């Protein structure tokens, strides 16, 4: 994407927490999203955060937003093998463009 | 309720051939998007359409054209396919819901190979 960056790969043990990081570019972005892509499938929305929030929790998922540094993270508690997938962060810019990051492949091993 | 439907699911083209990827959504969304997904590069926006009758270039529009035929349909055309256009293509649609954010719904993707 247009400089929405993520690390490419993360490997964790089942039961541990996973933290996936993302840096975005447009300080006027209104919403920031996390999407999950399972093999051979399209993307599905996991969670989102409005730009005037700094944290959102949704069951095992915690999203942290540092607007000053334009940094977004997704924490998955008690990671399971079913969480293995590619995770994309995305920003909705003021022009209504929806720009995605490069994706982080999460591998969970027993 | 089918959501976002893309056709075809797979396609092989020879260099220089043309083809149109079709996308339709039944959720009455205003915004529609075409992305390509390549290893290590995430999803890159090719074109998007904020409403019926409008289209705008995304990050990588060269070699593509689009048509927002009506509110439901948004097609992507490759006039003269090149091997660099080998990719997985995703169509998406979304609608802003005040106070609730905007969820984009994706099709299942079209895997295109240009030889």
């Amino acid at each position: 994407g247009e400089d929405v960056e993520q690390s490419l790969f993360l490997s964790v043990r089942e039961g541990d927490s996973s933290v996936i990081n993302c840096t975005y570019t447009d300080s006027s972005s209104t919403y920031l999203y996390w999407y999950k892509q399972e093999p051979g499938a399209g993307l599905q929305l996991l969670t989102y955060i409005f730009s005037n929030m700094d944290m959102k929790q949704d069951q095992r998922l915690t999203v942290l937003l540092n607007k000053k540094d334009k940094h977004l993270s997704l924490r998955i508690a008690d990671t399971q093998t079913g969480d293995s997938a590619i995770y994309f962060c995305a920003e909705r810019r003021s022009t209504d463009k929806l720009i995605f990051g490069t994706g982080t492949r999460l591998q969970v091993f027993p | 309720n089918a959501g976002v439907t893309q056709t075809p699911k797979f396609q092989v083209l020879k260099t220089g051939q043309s083809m149109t990827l079709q996308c339709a959504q039944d959720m009455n969304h205003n915004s529609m998007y075409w992305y390509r997904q390549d290893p290590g590069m995430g999803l890159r926006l090719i074109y998007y359409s904020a409403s019926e009758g409008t289209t705008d270039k995304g990050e990588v529009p060269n070699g593509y054209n689009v048509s927002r035929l009506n509110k439901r349909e948004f097609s992507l055309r490759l006039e003269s396919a090149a091997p660099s256009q080998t990719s997985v293509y995703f169509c998406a649609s979304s609608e802003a819901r005040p106070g609730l954010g905007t969820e984009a719904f994706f099709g299942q993707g079209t895997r295109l190979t240009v030889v």
Side-chain angles (χ1 to χ4, degrees), chain B residues 10 76 88:
Chain B
F10 300 94
L76 179 72
V88 180

Side-chain angles (χ1 to χ4, degrees), chain A residues 10-22:
Chain A
L10 176 66
S11 179
V12 300
R13 192 179 296 277
E14 191 174 19
D16 287 351
S17 292
S18 309
V19 179
I20 303 171
N21 294 302
C22 170

Side-chain angles (χ1 to χ4, degrees), chain A residues 77-95:
Chain A
D78 187 25
T79 313
Q80 303 297 308
T81 53
D83 295 324
S84 293
I86 302 176
Y87 291 81
F88 292 91
C89 65
E91 57 172 337
R92 179 171 294 280
R93 296 188 176 169
S94 54
T95 54

Side-chain angles (χ1 to χ4, degrees), chain A residues 65-80:
Chain A
L65 175 61
N66 180 329
K67 204 172 174 188
K68 174 175 164 290
D69 295 337
K70 296 199 273 292
H71 183 264
L72 183 72
S73 69
L74 173 70
R75 178 176 180 270
I76 306 173
D78 187 25
T79 313
Q80 303 297 308

Side-chain angles (χ1 to χ4, degrees), chain B residues 38-100:
Chain B
D38 303 290
M41 305 194 77
L43 269 74
R44 291 182 292 168
L45 182 63
I46 304 171
Y47 271 93
Y48 72 108
S49 169
S51 62
E52 183 181 351
T54 68
T55 61
D56 286 287
K57 293 179 181 178
E59 306 165 70
V60 288
N62 291 343
Y64 305 95
N65 285 302
V66 290
S67 295
R68 185 73 184 269
L69 304 168
N70 47 55
K71 196 171 186 182
R72 286 188 67 246
E73 297 171 290
F74 189 38
S75 61
L76 179 72
R77 182 158 178 84
L78 287 71
E79 290 291 352
S80 179
S84 61
Q85 294 177 304
T86 294
S87 187
V88 180
Y89 291 85
F90 286 99
C91 175
S93 72
S94 73
E95 190 72 24
R97 293 173 290 162
L100 294 176

